[in-house]
């Protein structure tokens, strides 16, 4: 990570195309925090790869000036995993929505944590499917009325924080797009964390989720940093993960003090260095040896 | 074939050591310059059932496993009962006379070769598998080869256990000598040569060929009959600097592979039909991002989970229709095991050059079959053509050279090919999007949707393929254009059709052969020129509906006069095709559905229904065990 | 058309209320017996951009949205600038003169109709959306209709807020009266009728038609343009006793649907191309288990994520090739919105009877388009044919009647159809397996693999389809078999081709029309009989590669003489086809790729590349705002 | 559940076809326990549906005499969910392997728990891919050498128990096929539990997993029932879930005292009773009303 650092500003990360999110959409705050975090970290735009799936939130790479991929709905993490393994010199950030990451993409999310690939995963969690205009999402509250649950959502709310903890994720945090400075801090720490890092961000969909509004969140969220929470305490983190109601914690839930080595640092095939920097093909000598195995 | 050949059949239950006996035999004869083609018909079970391995051995390279048995090695009574009647005159049956004996008279001209295994090897009491070693020794003698090959193979197989080597060599030698003393040699005697052979499978060659061609990322989810490609890579990734990963599912597999490829690493993955189904969405992603990817699909008998250990050519429709919308793709079906070695290199080159997905269609027969290949053919440095790939910028700044045009990832060039910069290169920042996008990558699916840009981008992608035939060899007719019959096949049936053609010509039915390797895009001009002049076109394929025949008609309008198809799980044998052609020539039939009914294919099903097997000569009840 | 028609175009940015103004207008005229066909070209954005809705209105039912604009309602300056020049002589442009004014002269014969909205409605100051109501009132007057329809619609729309009704009715009436006093009526004056109309979308009809046909389980994952089917079901599941579930992904969707169907509930699901890709593996499962399933695929512009709000017919290859191996499937493409209503019933019946997957291919145009339908056509009780389904046993014991043959789920019957017992029925216990199985369901993929049983089961499944054409109507030629040109289309293009045919015939180019609804299996005999006699076959389809033309050739050998294709995201208009036919008749061109270049389709792209739009008459900079 | 109970014996549930698992395979014990549990519960074979995916373990329905489905690899849970919703009068059991359920099928597993569908899920966890002859699985231990990890598995072990707890599963248990009586008890309780129930079963693959042998498990497993574990205590359950090493707990980890209602009892479309028992189509009156909505 961050082998070279340059002096960079927010404008270096602003794409020419302005975001086309609805005015007031929470995703603006998320993007803004990311501009600041990347400027702070000093990675140059061409050394950063932002990968997303499909959704309002997943449009983010188009508004961020770095290499970007707008992949398939739910498949940003596998795409980014392949990308990171191929060029682990890059800073790889994955951005997307709750539907993208916790719905269709949930399997990849859990396995990516298990595999500890060095990716920062930012989920713009608006508790709905924004781009498809407001259906129930895995993080919609039980009982919530949406276009597809007119009698109320019957399913239990998916708990990304608890799942992350249960899956061995070494950096587990939650932010709120109404608090971009706080977000920025979570981002920079997450990107610096050598392994998989999750930041679930409450990012209100002002158009289709009238329930989980800015107001709703503002009334409830409190910062773990302001409480006596110890982010190295797994059990405390699990307790925080289960807290949902009048008070909802944001901030750093958990960070592993001695994190497992990240996948690229361990993969036997990557021991010579960055994959894309290696010569293609096989030496004459190796070739002979390999053919020999069949004789 | 001009050289004599011997087909050895080894049969037994799972756990009896059929595969390892076959392997020992194949390696041994290969060390005496014999070429081998082997096909193992096995079942998905760890113990029991019936495995039936045939090895065709000759100084001249066989290209299929043949359709008869000259020498039977029965590892259990069941095998003896099933296959004795299949032996041809001059053939012989080897078996451990302490454990089994024939349930019926052998066919006329067939020699029974009982081996008193316990008497021949003192190790038998503890190691019943010694019967296999004795039999292998014996059959080598009866084919006319000397003992050196077998001895050296046993030596290297058990290199770390000298005592085991000793016991095995003694048993093998005992079988060899006993055969010399007690049995008549086979009429076909093999001619030792000095040719070196490598004994390989199609899957191993796919893997090694890809590695030689610069594959740097291989990702898979286990699925028969493609799993061995993963296993080869897993075993060699460290030494070759290849990142090899087994991941949670095929969706993840292909998306990771495309992700790696997007960064500039040559990425490949492999699966079978059900896995390919899960990959289809991302095949479209590769098409839209114009990020190359190479996917091997090893076909097995479908539909759905189907028959995982059986062969078929049933996934052409799926490969052709993989993913929604229109985008360029390339589909290649290697014709032989050696072709499995070179196809990944070809696939990588065209994938890079045309920035599109390439699907390689193999099948169980090709991928899991064993064949000897001249090692010189494997010691190859493939030319690597990465197409218009930008991996470094002139200046390592935060931009490009002053005065440069801004970089357009999807530039609307005359060729349709847009130079591809990989992430990490300064001055070429862009977003690659699965949504429709403009030349600079900015979405035109959203607020900026418009008709003109949309059409321009579709046209750009389509136009890319204009020059692709420069890199994809056209099929050539083998034999005379005036032949009475032209057999058309695709992929793995090349070897078996070739031999059928030889036989038909020998029998006076003049036959030519056209085998298709590049399925998409299709060499319409060349194929139409050939088949347009053919007198009678017969398509041979290993599926029920004639997927290739339909493809041929869709592309060229040519409707075949006849079809020979097989979809019972077992591959074609030359005799099936010869008989099929004759049947079609007799008239009245357009489609011949071949069915293998030999007793070897029948199972004792506890609740199963009846059917027209050829049947065994002696009922199982009468068997002496 | 014999009756006069008016095409009203309403344009504005997202957020300007284009859709709701259109809806009010459509409902209003429908209440005066006018039929409507509406197409909204919108972008995936909540505010901004350009939405362009066209409503074609007539006493005679229009079957497409036409290809001109008679009356323009500009909700913003941008719309006025873009579309003024498109108006035909006799046409008119309505706009709020307090907010905008034309940037250029209108075409000759076009009437400018500035509406001084603030003066006409005191509510405007607070509710700028009143401009829409005023304009709708005005256009209704200018089409020659009276005010009652609009008044009643406004009354029911805001039924719960009398004050809102009042304000709206006043504004509408002001517009109506102002138009009467100040503008010339349109030359085409509509004739009020007493016909009742229901205003529907294809998606709503799919859902309601399926519910009427006994759909009991509907499962989906949101995906444009199929999402509204889910929303209709979600809104009605409780009252109709239908289990409606949104689940984690399309894989889960189809597997749940097959699971429900396996128990005997009629199950349906819908998605678009990318979702269908994820469903393909389970389509093969349905084929192998012989458990029926109905899947609607609403096509949108591909490949990959493509252009989610734009139409295309690009998924035929995917539907045809969905899943590995060979198994029977049925693919049906409804021709019109009313067809969307009846197709699920047909699909369920053939799915149940032939125990196979049925894919319905719709597209954005059909599924999201709005059309009026005679409500009598919707008040239908569909005949329900569940095929050979066993849902109860003679005796509710732990077995079957004494002396009964054991139940064989996959019995090898003459018809190939095996009576299907659903789980829960006593005495019919069996396992349904995706592995190849024998008649009783026991796996033959494992230790019991054999060739004869394998082939028997493939043949059984294949044979099922022998009688399917008894239940699937053959296409019929509209027009003369001797026509100079025969236009062939499939699915949603029926309406637009019909009108093009009418016009061509009027212009002296004798043209007939064959529209294909049942794509797989293909009515080879009937289609070949028709097209074999056609003088010049031209295939019209909404994709780039000509997927249907290829399918036609694959099935019948017929190679079309010409192709008219469109893949710029917008649907065909009659004029495109008329022009395309002429171009092909002129010679020199085999494929005409239609492109819509009107200024309405152009976007202001901040970084975008150039292209050949027809362009606006006045540059954006000169616009008065 | 269990509206009618009959006197049934193990033989009533034995299929005609004998299992073709390798001699000694752990799956025999799993099957055996299930024979006994079903006999004990008194549900008649035609009232039981066993659904599996693909794998050695997933062959189980073929050896069990009841209605069965051998579906797709990883897709048994969605198939069974549809089946249960369509006929909730049936007892629905899903059986499969660790690869099937925790690899390719993981997303469905988590969502099924969230949605609390009344299914008993038995995972024959042999920490390997048996049917494909011994590759690494999500539950293979880190460092484990397999055909596809010749230098040792680099990934963190997936923890099904912790994931189940984090996903709101109301019945979470683990068994060992070496203790079939204990298994039987877990099964009967799980089937009686009104909602989703997970039983992860250590079921050794004697052919391809030489590491996690019977011996290996026997040395380590202890029964929570024999310790002071309180299965109503979520935190204690989470602690047990995280225990892995010299001692590994089996038994009932967690059961929710007042479980959430199961999905079929809540679905608005199922209020009239079992779906497949309802008349097809729509009444004349309803039809009129529905058409009316469009006028
Ligand atoms: C395979 C597939 N299924 C469905 C869709 C349609 N789709 C696009 S975005 C989306 C959900 C978006 O929700 P979320 O990820 O929460 O993002 P948001 O828009 O709320 O930011 C869906 C279902 C798709 N693109 N691909
Ligand atoms: C889509 C798909 N991918 C891969 C396979 C191949 N496959 C069959 S079983 C299996 C894994 C079996 O492992 P597990 O579920 O743990 O069962 P076990 O055999 O160990 O009991 C795999 C990968 C398949 N059938 N379908
Ligand atoms: S729909 Fe919701 S999530 Fe999407 S841009 Fe608008 S506010 Fe944001
Ligand atoms: S391979 Fe392993 S899991 Fe499969 S049957 Fe044999 S012992 Fe059991
Ligand atoms: Mg969301
Ligand atoms: Mg397993």
């Amino acid at each position: 990570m961050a082998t070279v650092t340059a002096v960079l500003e927010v404008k270096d990360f602003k794409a020419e195309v302005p975001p086309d999110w609805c005015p007031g959409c929470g995703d603006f705050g998320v993007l803004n925090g990311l501009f600041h975090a990347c400027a702070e970290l000093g990675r140059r735009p061409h050394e950063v790869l932002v990968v997303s799936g499909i959704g309002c939130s997943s449009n983010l790479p188009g508004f961020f000036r770095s290499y970007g991929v707008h992949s398939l709905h739910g498949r940003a993490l596998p795409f980014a995993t392949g990308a990171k393994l191929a060029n682990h010199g890059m800073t790889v950030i994955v951005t997307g929505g709750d539907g993208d990451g916790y719905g269709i993409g949930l399997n990849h999310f859990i396995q990516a944590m298990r595999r500890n690939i060095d990716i920062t995963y930012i989920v713009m969690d608006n508790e709905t499917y924004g781009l498809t205009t407001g259906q129930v999402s895995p993080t919609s509250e039980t009982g919530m009325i949406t276009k597809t649950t007119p009698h109320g959502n019957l399913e239990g709310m998916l708990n990304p924080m608890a799942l992350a903890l249960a899956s061995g994720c070494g950096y587990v945090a939650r932010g709120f797009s109404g608090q971009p400075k706080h977000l920025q801090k979570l981002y920079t720490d997450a990107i610096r964390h050598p392994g998989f890092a999750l930041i679930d961000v409450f990012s209100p969909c002002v158009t289709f989720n009238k329930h989980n509004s800015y107001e709703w969140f503002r009334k409830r969220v409190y910062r773990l940093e302001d409480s006596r929470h110890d982010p190295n305490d797994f059990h405390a983190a699990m307790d925080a993960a289960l807290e949902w109601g009048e008070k909802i914690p944001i901030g750093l839930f958990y960070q592993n003090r001695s994190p497992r080595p990240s996948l690229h640092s361990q993969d036997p095939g990557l021991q010579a260095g960055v994959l894309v920097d290696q010569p293609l093909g096989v030496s004459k000598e190796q070739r002979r040896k390999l053919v020999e195995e069949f004789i | 074939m001009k050289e004599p050949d011997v087909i050895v059949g080894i049969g037994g239950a799972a756990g009896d050591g059929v595969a390892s006996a076959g392997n020992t035999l194949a390696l041994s004869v290969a060390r005496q310059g014999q070429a081998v083609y082997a096909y193992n018909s096995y079942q998905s079970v760890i113990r029991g059932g019936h495995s039936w391995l045939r090895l065709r051995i000759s100084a001249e390279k066989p290209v299929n496993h043949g359709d008869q048995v000259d020498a039977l090695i029965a590892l259990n009574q069941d095998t003896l009962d099933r296959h004795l009647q299949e032996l041809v005159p001059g053939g012989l049956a080897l078996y451990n006379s302490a454990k089994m004996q024939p349930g019926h008279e052998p066919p006329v001209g067939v020699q029974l070769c009982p081996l008193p295994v316990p008497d021949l090897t003192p190790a038998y009491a503890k190691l019943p598998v010694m019967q296999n070693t004795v039999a292998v020794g014996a059959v080598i003698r009866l084919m006319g080869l000397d003992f050196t090959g077998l001895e050296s193979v046993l030596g290297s197989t058990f290199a770390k256990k000298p005592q085991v080597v000793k016991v095995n060599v003694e048993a093998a030698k005992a079988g060899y000598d006993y055969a010399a003393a007690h049995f008549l040699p086979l009429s076909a005697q093999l001619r030792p040569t000095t040719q070196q052979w490598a004994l390989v499978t199609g899957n191993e060659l796919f893997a090694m060929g890809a590695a030689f061609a610069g594959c740097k990322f291989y990702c898979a989810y286990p699925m028969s009959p493609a799993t061995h490609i993963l296993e080869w890579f897993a075993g060699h990734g460290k030494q070759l600097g290849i990142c090899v990963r087994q991941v949670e599912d095929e969706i993840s597999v292909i998306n990771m592979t495309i992700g790696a490829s997007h960064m500039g690493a040559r990425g490949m993955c492999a699966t079978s039909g059900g896995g390919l189904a899960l990959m289809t969405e991302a095949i479209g992603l590769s098409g839209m991002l114009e990020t190359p990817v190479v996917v091997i699909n090893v076909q097995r008998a479908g539909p759905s989970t189907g028959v995982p250990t059986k062969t078929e050519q049933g996934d052409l429709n799926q490969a052709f229709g993989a993913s929604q919308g229109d985008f360029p793709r390339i589909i290649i079906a290697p014709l032989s095991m050696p072709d499995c070695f070179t196809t990944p290199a070809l696939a990588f080159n065209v994938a890079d050059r045309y920035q599109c997905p390439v699907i390689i269609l193999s099948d169980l027969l090709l991928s899991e079959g064993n064949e000897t290949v001249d090692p010189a053919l494997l010691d190859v440095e493939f030319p690597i053509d990465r197409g218009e790939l930008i991996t470094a910028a002139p200046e390592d700044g935060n931009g490009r050279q002053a005065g440069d045009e801004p970089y357009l990832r999807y530039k609307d060039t005359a060729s349709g090919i847009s130079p591809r910069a990989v992430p990490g290169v300064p001055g070429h920042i862009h977003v690659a999007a699965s949504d429709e996008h403009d030349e600079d990558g900015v979405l035109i699916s959203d607020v900026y949707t418009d008709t003109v840009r949309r059409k321009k981008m579709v046209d750009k992608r389509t136009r890319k393929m204009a020059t692709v035939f420069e890199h994809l060899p056209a099929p050539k007719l083998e034999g005379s254009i005036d032949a009475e019959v032209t057999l058309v096949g695709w992929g793995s049936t090349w070897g078996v059709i070739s031999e059928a053609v030889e036989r038909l010509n020998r029998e006076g039915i003049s036959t030519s052969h056209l085998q298709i390797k590049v399925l998409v895009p299709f060499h319409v001009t060349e194929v139409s020129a050939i088949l347009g002049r053919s007198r009678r076109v017969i398509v041979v394929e290993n599926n029920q509906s004639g997927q290739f025949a339909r493809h041929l008609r869709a592309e060229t309008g040519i409707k075949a006069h006849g079809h020979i198809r097989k979809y019972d799980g077992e591959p074609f044998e030359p005799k099936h095709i010869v008989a099929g052609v004759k049947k079609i020539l007799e008239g009245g039939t357009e489609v011949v559905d071949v069915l293998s009914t030999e007793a070897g294919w029948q199972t004792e099903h506890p609740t199963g229904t009846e059917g027209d097997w050829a049947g065994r000569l002696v009922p199982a009840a009468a068997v002496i065990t």
Side-chain angles (χ1 to χ4, degrees), chain A, chain B:
Chain A
M1 245 286 319
T3 44
V4 186
T5 55
V7 178
L8 292 165
E9 295 167 55
V10 164
K11 71 165 173 41
D12 293 316
F13 294 96
K14 274 202 176 153
E16 268 178 276
V17 178
D20 60 2
W21 292 313
C22 307
C25 176
D27 298 349
F28 284 101
V30 175
L31 175 63
N32 226 19
L34 200 57
F35 286 150
H36 282 92
C38 285
E40 182 185 337
L41 285 165
R43 288 292 275 171
R44 288 171 304 175
H46 70 263
E47 297 164 332
V48 177
L49 176 72
V50 183
V51 182
S52 74
I54 301 294
C56 290
S57 41
S58 291
N59 285 345
L60 188 143
F63 316 132
F64 191 83
R65 201 177 150 270
S66 77
Y67 279 100
V69 178
H70 189 231
S71 75
L72 292 173
H73 186 46
R75 314 305 171 193
L77 279 174
F79 192 107
T81 300
K84 180 77 186 184
L85 290 169
N87 186 349
H88 63 257
M90 301 277 289
T91 297
V92 178
I93 299 169
V94 173
T95 58
D98 42 332
D100 194 73
Y102 306 148
I104 192 167
L106 183 73
N107 191 355
H108 310 308
F109 170 52
I110 309 268
Q111 312 282 3
M113 292 190 282
R114 217 164 61 65
R115 125 174 354 128
N116 202 28
I117 179 83
D118 185 14
I119 282 176
T120 299
Y121 186 33
I122 301 171
V123 180
M124 286 158 261
D125 189 353
N126 56 12
E127 295 81 25
T128 195
Y129 282 32
L131 189 62
T132 50
T133 75
Q135 295 80 19
V136 71
S137 125
T139 54
S140 296
E141 286 191 314
T142 307
M144 182 165 161
I145 302 219
T146 71
K147 280 190 183 166
T148 49
T149 56
H151 308 289
N153 177 21
L154 300 179
E155 308 190 351
M157 208 179 155
L158 185 132
N159 189 330
M161 314 315 281
L163 288 174
L165 291 167
S167 305
C169 181
Y171 183 99
V172 182
R174 183 153 63 200
F176 171 36
S177 81
Q179 303 189 10
K181 272 265 157 220
H182 180 236
L183 264 187
Q184 177 183 342
K185 164 89 174 109
L186 296 177
Y187 291 157
T188 48
D189 288 353
I191 294 171
R192 285 197 182 110
H193 177 81
F196 194 91
L198 168 71
I199 305 143
D200 181 85
V201 187
F202 293 141
S203 178
C205 171
V206 297
T207 305
F208 295 112
N209 186 346
K210 304 294 184 191
H211 175 63
N212 305 105
S213 61
Y214 282 99
E215 251 328 281
W216 193 92
F217 285 115
R218 260 193 212 109
K219 272 217 309 253
R220 286 169 176 76
V221 299
Y222 73 94
R223 294 194 192 174
L224 287 171
E225 293 80 352
D226 300 340
S227 73
R228 266 193 236 163
H229 181 71
D230 171 6
N232 300 130
D233 179 345
F234 182 89
H235 283 88
M238 189 56 91
D239 285 343
L242 296 171
E243 194 177 351
W244 188 271
E246 291 309 299
K247 288 276 152 235
I248 301 174
I250 58 172
L252 179 61
F253 284 52
Y254 179 70
Q255 183 161 21
N256 196 325
R257 227 189 288 258
S258 43
R260 288 185 290 142
S262 71
L263 185 61
H264 72 256
S265 70
Q266 300 276 295
D267 190 286
L270 297 181
Q271 297 315 306
V274 165
L275 203 57
V276 292
D277 294 344
Q278 307 309 310
L280 291 193
V282 160
S283 72
K284 215 177 168 74
E285 205 175 313
Q286 276 174 323
R287 239 160 51 208
R288 291 265 155 81
K289 248 180 61 195
L290 291 167
V291 173
E292 208 57 50
E293 290 177 16
F294 295 116
I295 298 177
Chain B
M1 290 176 60
K2 286 174 204 90
E3 287 280 345
D5 65 331
V6 172
I7 300 177
V8 179
I10 308 181
D16 282 344
V18 170
S20 79
N23 206 46
T24 304
L25 175 58
L27 283 170
S28 304
V29 299
R31 293 207 184 161
Q32 283 168 282
Q34 303 303 304
V36 179
Y37 188 109
Y39 166 70
N40 190 4
S41 170
Y42 68 104
Q43 295 148 337
S44 180
V45 69
I46 308 294
R47 310 224 156 259
H50 176 62
S51 269
W52 178 228
L53 169 64
R54 273 176 295 170
L55 299 104
R56 192 173 188 186
I57 305 169
S58 170
E60 183 186 344
K61 194 165 155 31
V63 289
N64 63 67
H65 56 286
D67 51 15
Q68 61 178 50
V69 197
D70 299 310
L72 170 67
I73 298 181
L75 301 185
N76 63 3
Q77 180 69 45
D78 176 49
T79 300
L80 195 54
D81 293 334
R82 286 173 186 269
H83 296 287
L84 185 55
Q85 70 207 66
E86 279 175 44
L87 285 163
V88 293
L92 51 82
L94 291 153
Y95 53 94
N96 178 356
S97 55
K99 238 185 76 184
M100 52 198 118
Q101 61 182 83
H104 60 85
E105 286 294 306
V108 179
V110 168
Q111 184 187 184
L112 290 177
C113 306
L115 295 163
V117 176
D119 306 340
L120 294 177
T121 165
Y124 176 69
K126 278 195 204 147
L127 288 170
V129 75
M130 279 300 136
Q131 74 170 18
N132 304 6
T133 315
V134 172
V136 169
V139 82
I140 283 182
R141 177 66 185 83
L142 298 171
M143 294 188 294
L145 296 174
D146 68 35
F147 189 65
T148 52
L150 177 53
E151 185 167 14
S152 97
V153 168
L154 292 171
S156 41
T157 306
F158 304 110
K160 284 175 190 146
K161 303 172 193 154
Q163 185 51 31
V164 181
V165 173
K166 187 164 169 286
V167 169
N168 273 279
V169 169
E170 279 169 12
K173 191 67 173 40
Y176 189 88
D177 293 340
Y178 187 86
H182 296 85
F183 311 133
L184 296 172
L186 283 158
S187 50
Q189 291 288 291
L190 301 179
R191 184 178 58 83
T193 82
T194 56
Q195 171 68 47
Q196 247 204 346
W197 292 111
L199 182 66
V200 296
T201 65
N203 276 344
E204 288 163 341
L205 291 186
F206 275 133
M208 195 169 76
F212 286 13
C215 182
K216 282 277 147 198
F217 188 87
Y218 184 83
C219 188
Y221 188 74
M223 186 160 194
S224 311
T227 311
H228 293 289
I229 304 177
L230 171 60
E231 291 175 2
W232 189 94
F233 271 110
H236 296 85
K238 186 172 180 176
Q239 86 193 64
L240 300 177
I242 299 172
C243 182
V244 183
R245 306 258 19 112
Q246 178 187 325
V247 296
E248 62 270 27
D249 64 8
E250 289 87 351
I251 296 179
S252 178
V253 163
I254 187 165
N255 282 286
M256 282 192 199
T257 309
I258 297 172
S261 172
H262 194 73
M263 306 306 276
R266 283 195 152 178
M268 184 171 91
C269 56
T271 185
S272 185
L276 189 70
L278 293 170
M279 292 185 177
T280 56
E281 192 193 10
I283 287 172
L285 176 70
S286 158
M288 192 60 149
L289 299 186
E290 304 192 49
T291 295
V293 68
V294 175
V295 181
I296 300 178
N297 181 46
V298 185
Q299 300 162 100
R300 68 189 205 190
S304 201
T305 312
V307 198
T309 63
K310 296 294 159 189
T311 201
E312 197 163 278
Q313 297 183 297
D315 297 357
L316 175 55
N317 288 347
Q318 175 168 246
F320 186 83
S323 207
Q324 70 273 22
D326 287 311
F327 58 91
R329 78 188 70 199
I330 295 169
I331 306 178
I332 307 175
L335 308 184
S336 65
M337 290 181 218
D339 234 15
C340 295
F341 179 61
T342 58
T343 300
L346 173 64
F348 277 127
N349 286 349
V350 288
D352 264 343
R353 177 165 282 274
Y354 296 99
Q355 302 180 16
C356 72
V358 179
I359 301 173
I360 298 176
L361 278 184
S362 179
D363 54 27
L364 183 135
L365 177 67
L366 216 53
S367 273
E368 295 203 335
N370 251 131
E371 185 176 324
T372 48
V373 175
D374 181 348
L377 289 180
L378 303 180
D379 186 12
V380 175
E381 190 173 338
F382 292 115
I384 291 180
D385 173 5
R386 303 228 52 189
E388 301 185 42
L389 188 70
I390 302 169
T391 55
E395 171 211 355
D396 193 352
N398 210 349
R400 313 179 78 223
Q401 304 271 26
D404 276 5
E405 295 272 293
Y407 172 68
L408 297 176
R409 166 64 187 96
Y410 299 107
K411 196 173 164 63
D412 185 29
T413 59
S415 67
I417 297 170
S418 319
R420 172 165 84 100
V422 299
V425 178
H428 293 73
I429 280 177
H430 65 273
V431 176
S434 69
D435 275 64
E436 189 60 280
H437 41 256
D438 204 348
E439 294 180 56
D440 60 358
V442 172
L443 302 200
I444 54 170
S445 55
D446 231 328
V447 59
Y448 308 123
T449 313
D450 75 43
T451 49
V452 170
R453 290 195 188 90
R454 157 69 178 171
K455 182 169 188 299
K456 174 165 72 175
M457 297 310 289
V458 179
D459 289 341
K460 182 200 97 71
R461 286 190 294 268
T462 307
R463 196 163 63 238
K464 282 199 297 196
M465 293 320 241
T467 60
V468 71
F469 287 123
E470 294 170 15
H471 302 273
L472 294 170
K476 290 208 173 55
L477 187 73
E478 297 175 54
S480 162
I481 189 84
D482 303 316
E484 193 176 340
V485 171
T486 302
L487 292 182
V488 183
W490 62 285
S492 66
T493 52
W494 170 78
V496 68
I497 299 177
S498 296
E499 182 158 347
V501 166
E502 216 180 287
R503 288 203 209 164
L504 284 162
N505 280 315
R506 259 202 322 264
E507 294 189 32
I509 302 172
S510 76
T511 309
S512 60
H513 179 192
L514 184 71
Q515 194 76 10
I516 308 294
K517 174 172 173 176
V518 179
L519 292 156
V520 176
F522 200 73
H523 286 93
V524 173
T525 316
E526 295 85 344
V527 171
S528 302
I530 295 168
L531 298 186
R533 290 185 51 198
S534 297
R535 288 165 58 195
R536 193 182 266 99
V537 172
I538 296 178
V539 175
V540 180
E541 56 187 316
N542 219 167
N543 63 46
Q544 180 273 326
S545 72
Q547 299 190 3
F548 173 77
R550 185 178 193 281
H551 182 60
L552 175 67
R553 196 176 189 195
E555 294 290 333
T556 64
I558 293 165
K559 185 168 186 248
H561 302 90
H563 304 266
I564 304 175
R565 297 178 188 160
K566 196 165 196 291
Y567 47 93
D568 61 1
E570 297 301 331
F572 281 111
E573 298 173 9
K575 66 180 177 214
H576 297 141
I577 298 171
V578 169
V581 168
K582 289 181 185 168
K583 198 155 169 199
I584 290 168
L585 292 183
E586 276 164 20
T589 327
E590 202 184 300
V591 182
V592 175
D593 289 335
V594 178
L595 173 62
S596 293
T597 58
E598 289 91 339
W601 310 123
Q602 186 180 359
T603 58
E604 312 300 338
H605 195 296
T607 66
T609 52
E610 290 308 303
D612 289 326
W613 291 272
R616 306 186 194 181
L617 285 188
V618 164
V623 154
I624 306 107
T625 37

